[in-house]
C-alpha cells in the first residue's frame, strides 16, 4: 500500500508511523504528515476508507485498538491521545476531546491495550511505560521500574511495546540501547532480562554486541514469535518465545538455529537509503512527489522501517504481518504461511489462540 513517494493524494501514505489491526482484521495505518488514518483490507489488497482529518492536530505516531472497539492515536508533539470508536467496517467516530492532556507526557508514542481494556502508553523522553484503567485513571497496581540502583534509566528513547499476557511479560523496545527489555505484566517491575544482547546481572546492563544494527522500533507477537523491527538494518527479526534461551544472549550465540530462539529475519536493507546525507537532495524530490522510491527499492528492500503489526485471519487460516516502510512511503504486507513454510515455523495454517489478541495490540 502507498505510492512510493510523498504527497496528500488518495493513495499516498506520507511517513507511515503506526499500525494495528482491528478485531475483524482491517489494518489501520497512521498517515502522519497528512494527519489521517487509512483503513486497508489486507485480504483483498485495497484501501477501504480513512478517518481523522480535522481532528488530529499534532504529530501522530502510534495507534492501538481495544477489543471493545476503542481506538487511541498518540500525538508525540502535544502529548495527548485522540479517542475514536470503531462502528464496524471502515467507519470510525471521534469520541470527543483528546485524552491524557494533563498527564505530563513529554514524547508520547507507543500505545497498546490488554485483554482487560487497560491502556499502556510509552514516553520516549521520560523513558517509562504508564498503565491506565478503563476510566482513564492511573492503575494503582502498576509500578513501572524505570531505573537501575545507580539511577540510570533502563530504557533510552522508546516507543515499541508488545504484551504477552499468558507469559506475564511486557516487551518494550529500547531504541538507543539496541535491545528489547522485559517487564512484569502484573506490576511493571523489570525482569532482569532482555533480548538482542547479553546481560550482566551485577550491573543489570546489556553486555556484548547487539543483534540490532542500531535502534529497535516496532514490536508484535504472532504464533508465539516476537517480531522486532531493526530500523537501520532494514529487517524484522524473529524470536521464538518458547525458547528460554532467547533472552540475555550475545549476538555471537544468535547466529542461526542453534536452539537459542533466534530464527532469522524478514527484509533487507534498502538499495538506496534516503537517510544518508549524500541523498538529501533526492529525499526532497521524493517528498515532493517528483520521484518514486519503488524505482529504487523493490518490495522487501526496506528503508527506515518502523511499526509492525500482526493478525490471524480465522476464516482463511492465514496470518498477516504489516510493516511501516517509512522512507519508501508504503506499507508492506507479508503472509505468515509463506514465512512459516520457508523457515519451518509454527502457525502456518493452524490458529494459535493465545497470541491472536496480543499480536493485534502489540504494534509500535
Amino acid at each position: 500500500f502507498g505510492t512510493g513517494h510523498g504527497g496528500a493524494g488518495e493513495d499516498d501514505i506520507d511517513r507511515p508511523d503506526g499500525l494495528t489491526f482491528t478485531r475483524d482484521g482491517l489494518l489501520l495505518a497512521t498517515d502522519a504528515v497528512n494527519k489521517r488514518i487509512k483503513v486497508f483490507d489486507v485480504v483483498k489488497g485495497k484501501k477501504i476508507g480513512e478517518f481523522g482529518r480535522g481532528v488530529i492536530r499534532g504529530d501522530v505516531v502510534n495507534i492501538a485498538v481495544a477489543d471493545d472497539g476503542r481506538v487511541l492515536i498518540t500525538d508525540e508533539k502535544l502529548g495527548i491521545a485522540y479517542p475514536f470508536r470503531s462502528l464496524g467496517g471502515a467507519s470510525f467516530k471521534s469520541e470527543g476531546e483528546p485524552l491524557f492532556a494533563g498527564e505530563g507526557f513529554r514524547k508520547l508514542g507507543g500505545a497498546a491495550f490488554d485483554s482487560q481494556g487497560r491502556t499502556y502508553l510509552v514516553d520516549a523522553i521520560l523513558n517509562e511505560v504508564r498503565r491506565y484503567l478503563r476510566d482513564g485513571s492511573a492503575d494503582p497496581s502498576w509500578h513501572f521500574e524505570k531505573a537501575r540502583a545507580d539511577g540510570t534509566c533502563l530504557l533510552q528513547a522508546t516507543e515499541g511495546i508488545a504484551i504477552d499476557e499468558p507469559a506475564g511479560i511486557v516487551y518494550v523496545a529500547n531504541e538507543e540501547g539496541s535491545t528489547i527489555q522485559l517487564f512484569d505484566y502484573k506490576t511493571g517491575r523489570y525482569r532482569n532480562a532482555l533480548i538482542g544482547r547479553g546481560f550482566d546481572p551485577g550491573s543489570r546492563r546489556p553486555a556484548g554486541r547487539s543483534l540490532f544494527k542500531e535502534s529497535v522500533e516496532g514490536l508484535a507477537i504472532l504464533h508465539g514469535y516476537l517480531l522486532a523491527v531493526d530500523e537501520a538494518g532494514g529487517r524484522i527479526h524473529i524470536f521464538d518465545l518458547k525458547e528460554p534461551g532467547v533472552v540475555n544472549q550475545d549476538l555471537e550465540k544468535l547466529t542461526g538455529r542453534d536452539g537459542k530462539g533466534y530464527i532469522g529475519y524478514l527484509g533487507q536493507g534498502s538499495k538506496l537509503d534516503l537517510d544518508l546525507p549524500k541523498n538529501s537532495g533526492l529525499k526532497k524530490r521524493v517528498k515532493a512527489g517528483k520521484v518514486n522510491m519503488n524505482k529504487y527499492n523493490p518490495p522487501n528492500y526496506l528503508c527506515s522501517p518502523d511499526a509492525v503489526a500482526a493478525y490471524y485471519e480465522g476464516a482463511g487460516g492465514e496470518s498477516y504481518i504489516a510493516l511501516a516502510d517509512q522512507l519508501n512511503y508504503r506499507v508492506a504486507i507479508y503472509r505468515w504461511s509463506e514465512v512459516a513454510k520457508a523457515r519451518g515455523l509454527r502457525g502456518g495454517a493452524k490458529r494459535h489462540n493465545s497470541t491472536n489478541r496480543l499480536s493485534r495490540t502489540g504494534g509500535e
Side-chain angles (χ1 to χ4, degrees):
F1 301 113
T3 57
H5 57 69
E10 179 72 15
D11 296 321
D12 293 327
I13 307 176
D14 204 331
R15 211 191 78 194
D17 206 337
L19 300 171
T20 193
F21 283 94
T22 66
R23 190 174 182 82
D24 54 357
L26 297 179
L27 176 64
L28 309 183
T30 61
D31 185 359
V33 174
N34 293 312
K35 303 184 187 306
R36 62 186 177 183
I37 309 301
K38 310 195 83 171
V39 186
F40 299 103
D41 185 325
V42 299
V43 178
K44 296 181 179 179
K46 65 179 183 179
K47 174 194 168 188
I48 62 173
E50 67 176 54
F51 65 97
R53 285 183 180 270
V55 176
I56 297 170
R57 305 193 303 268
D59 193 356
V60 295
V61 181
N62 194 28
I63 184 168
V65 180
D67 284 345
D68 61 6
R70 286 179 295 150
V71 180
L72 280 183
I73 303 159
T74 57
D75 185 325
E76 70 175 11
K77 181 178 181 180
L78 301 178
I80 56 178
Y82 303 97
F84 286 81
R85 182 168 292 275
S86 171
L87 302 179
S91 298
F92 294 83
K93 177 184 178 182
S94 172
E95 292 216 301
E97 292 300 312
L99 305 177
F100 311 110
E103 294 297 301
F105 285 105
R106 298 279 303 281
K107 189 177 181 182
L108 176 56
F113 288 102
D114 64 17
S115 65
Q116 299 183 47
R118 295 178 299 194
T119 306
Y120 297 73
L121 298 175
V122 183
D123 191 304
I125 291 180
L126 297 177
N127 297 312
E128 64 183 9
V129 179
R130 302 183 189 180
R131 186 164 76 185
Y132 294 87
L133 303 175
R134 283 179 178 267
D135 63 4
S137 62
D139 187 342
S141 67
W142 183 253
H143 306 282
F144 186 74
E145 187 176 0
K146 62 181 293 184
R148 303 178 182 89
D150 61 4
T152 58
C153 287
L154 289 163
L155 302 172
Q156 299 88 35
T158 184
E159 288 181 11
I161 181 171
I163 305 169
D164 188 341
E165 292 185 40
I169 299 173
V170 177
Y171 297 91
V172 184
N174 185 25
E175 291 189 23
E176 292 184 2
S178 302
T179 58
I180 302 163
Q181 301 278 35
L182 280 62
F183 296 86
D184 187 79
Y185 167 68
K186 291 183 178 180
T187 66
R189 298 296 185 187
Y190 185 49
R191 296 183 63 135
N192 292 320
L194 53 82
I195 293 176
R197 292 180 70 179
F199 181 73
D200 180 353
S203 65
R204 306 176 87 194
R205 294 176 180 275
R209 292 193 300 159
S210 175
L211 178 68
F212 298 91
K213 188 173 181 179
E214 288 182 12
S215 63
V216 187
E217 291 286 347
L219 303 176
I221 300 173
L222 181 64
H223 299 307
Y225 296 98
L226 178 66
L227 311 175
V229 177
D230 184 342
E231 182 178 22
R235 299 172 175 178
I236 308 173
H237 292 286
I238 306 173
F239 302 92
D240 188 347
L241 299 179
K242 291 185 177 295
E243 293 288 346
V246 74
V247 300
N248 299 346
Q249 293 292 328
D250 289 335
L251 172 60
E252 289 82 2
K253 297 179 181 179
L254 292 174
T255 54
R257 299 182 189 180
D258 54 7
K260 298 299 183 182
Y262 177 56
I263 302 302
Y265 57 86
L266 298 176
Q268 52 191 313
S270 57
K271 292 184 175 181
L272 177 68
D273 188 348
L274 287 184
D275 271 338
L276 297 178
K278 67 179 182 179
N279 293 326
S280 60
L282 178 61
K283 186 175 182 178
K284 292 179 181 179
R285 295 175 63 199
V286 172
K287 178 70 175 172
K290 297 179 179 180
V291 176
N292 193 314
M293 281 302 294
N294 291 321
K295 172 183 177 182
Y296 298 96
N297 291 327
N300 209 42
Y301 286 86
L302 310 176
C303 191
S304 191
D306 199 281
V308 64
Y311 179 77
Y312 174 80
E313 191 270 310
E318 182 61 274
S319 301
Y320 298 92
I321 300 170
L323 177 72
D325 191 3
Q326 283 196 309
L327 291 184
N328 283 322
Y329 297 89
R330 63 194 181 198
V331 174
I333 309 297
Y334 294 85
R335 293 185 180 91
W336 181 255
S337 61
E338 297 175 0
V339 177
K341 181 179 180 180
R343 295 193 174 273
L345 306 180
R346 299 183 299 272
K350 185 178 180 181
R351 184 166 187 168
H352 191 278
N353 289 317
S354 64
T355 59
N356 181 36
R357 171 170 54 245
L358 307 177
S359 63
R360 287 195 298 104
T361 60
E364 184 194 69

